[in-house]
Amino acid sequence: MALVVQKYGGSSVSDVDAMRRVARRIVATRKAGNTVVVVVSAMGDTTDELLDQAAALTSDAPAREMDILLSAGERISMALLAMAVGELGVPARAYTGAQAGVLTDSKYGKASIVGVLPERVARSIQTGAVAIVAGFQGINEVEDTTTLGRGGSDTTAVALAAALNADVCEIYTDVDGLFTADPRIVPTAKRIESLSSEETLELAAHGAKILHLRAVEYARRFGVPLHVRSSFSDKTGTWIYDGRRQGAFVPSVVATQLDDVVAADIATPGSPATPASPASAITPASSASQGNSPAAAAPPSNPAGLDDGPSAAAVDTAHRNAIAARAQARPRPSAKEDHVEAPVISGIAHDRSQDKITLVGVPDVPGAAARIFAIVAGTDANIDMIVQDVSAEGTGLTNISFTCPSGDSATARAALESAREELGFRSLHFNPDIGILSLVGAGMRSNPGVSARLFGALSEAGVNIHMISTSEIRISVVVDDAALDEAVRAVHSAFGLDAQAAEAVVYGGTGR
Ligand SMILES: Nc1ncnc2c1ncn2[C@@H]1O[C@H](COP(=O)(O)OP(=O)(O)O)[C@@H](O)[C@H]1O
Ligand SMILES: N[C@@H](CC(=O)OP(=O)(O)O)C(=O)O
């Protein structure tokens, strides 16, 4: 018996028929003998529609109220899905992020998880029910609802999978896994069988929206095996797993900084909760399973008075034992590193969500870049690429360009403009019509000529390059937004990634 966390994205629960289809899959997984925890996103494009409604009322929505609004989409889904599962004869209980113990900081709209206390979820599954959790949301220290940023339900799922020590976190979506490029742009894209978390991180960080970046980081850190697959087919999807696991994580009454160090410790049954230090927060399965007296496994009455089943202490003990047993005998998908030869290029990501800002005529003196980016950092904008031109001869001036998410660029621009005198630049140019193509592959490290082939393919397709940046396993180029799709297709072909026979199917979703 495995503990499976399944996450269903908005495209998988777009209407009540889709809810029924998903409910059948959940019940089948349960009836196959697994314990199932479900994380669900808002139906279809609900989140975008809620954003549109708020924008129609105000251009300056308060962040706190915005999070209350946006969290409603996932709450509708969790309740409806619990009803659909219940209709199929399997008990299901719905939990908001707060009820599921997803604790966050107070950055409304892009909150980070600081702890997970999934006791009600653990009690629920202990009684044989399916726990259905609203994704993308949590609760902060003043008990306000927070949201985790667009696409954040993936992170909820991985955080719960880590806290519950699930065997696998399945990410269900509207395509059959992670492909060599977005199948909506490249119909000849190939499904990737398994991918290292390092390459997946690069793809997710550079626009492959099928996975939330923080979910991949989280899964990598805690060794949670990810299986990205379609809720519309029974095909195997893409496994993301490096074959390492840092230990078992168990439901907890303590927590610490989760995005830095995921906390999941377990209190001695019956003892009061005590905060854990980050160092003690990670409890290996072997030590977690020590010291449990068999008597403690008998379910006593429920002291908290909650209706989710036996008490936390009883569940903790039983759960720890089950976790320890599972950790011993867990089958593992093969990691990509196990393959004899990995392809040079794993995939291509594209990103339309960035703007380009150029400061023209920046004094070419030590400390100029430091001052500029300190001001940008003060606006909380997340900078991606940075390019500084060679100083024009005799002028002592240079140009500095950078890209940042469109949502952050207005504040970054305003902050820079207001510091213009101090920074001494001549003018600020802004280009929102850019796209970024990123070529990713661990094989780049040992294969020369990748950039030459990339630039050759773009040149043949007549695509002009505005900026270039590289990492060890990635090359990114900024091009015109209008040329981006063509650029992705050209590069995909140039690296021999096209499938012989069409294999990419987009089953649903609007691509919004
Ligand atoms: N490399 C890729 N492989 C597969 N899908 C991708 C890739 N890059 C982008 N996508 C897009 O991600 C979409 C799924 O993500 P999303 O719309 O967030 O799904 P969900 O509604 O399930 O959360 C796919 O429909 C596809 O268009
Ligand atoms: N509903 C939220 C959170 C989420 O993760 O959605 P999805 O799983 O459909 O990408 C959003 O649209 O951002």
Side-chain angles (χ1 to χ4, degrees), residues 352 437 458 461-464 479-489:
R352 286 200 152 83
L437 176 155
L458 292 172
V463 176
N464 190 31
V479 301
D480 286 337
D481 182 13
L484 184 61
D485 290 2
E486 184 47 38
V488 173
R489 284 190 284 266

Side-chain angles (χ1 to χ4, degrees), residues 293-305:
S293 75
S301 62
N302 180 355

Side-chain angles (χ1 to χ4, degrees), residues 381-394:
N382 235 332
I383 288 169
D384 184 12
M385 286 185 178
I386 302 175
V387 168
Q388 177 172 340
D389 296 346
V390 176
S391 171
E393 215 173 319

Side-chain angles (χ1 to χ4, degrees), residues 157-230:
V158 175
L160 275 172
L164 294 164
N165 190 44
D167 294 86
V168 61
C169 180
E170 297 183 326
I171 306 287
Y172 282 96
T173 184
D174 56 6
V175 288
D176 285 313
L178 198 55
F179 282 72
T180 47
D182 185 344
R184 287 179 202 270
I185 291 190
V186 184
T188 51
K190 275 194 282 212
R191 183 180 62 84
I192 302 169
E193 217 171 284
S194 69
L195 195 63
S196 67
S197 59
E198 184 191 28
E199 289 160 294
T200 311
L201 272 175
E202 289 282 5
L203 288 171
H206 293 89
K209 72 163 190 155
I210 186 162
L211 278 172
H212 197 226
L213 173 62
R214 275 156 50 199
V216 186
E217 285 169 342
Y218 217 110
R220 175 185 167 96
R221 182 164 296 156
F222 297 105
V224 176
L226 292 180
H227 185 190
V228 183
R229 56 193 307 200
S230 168

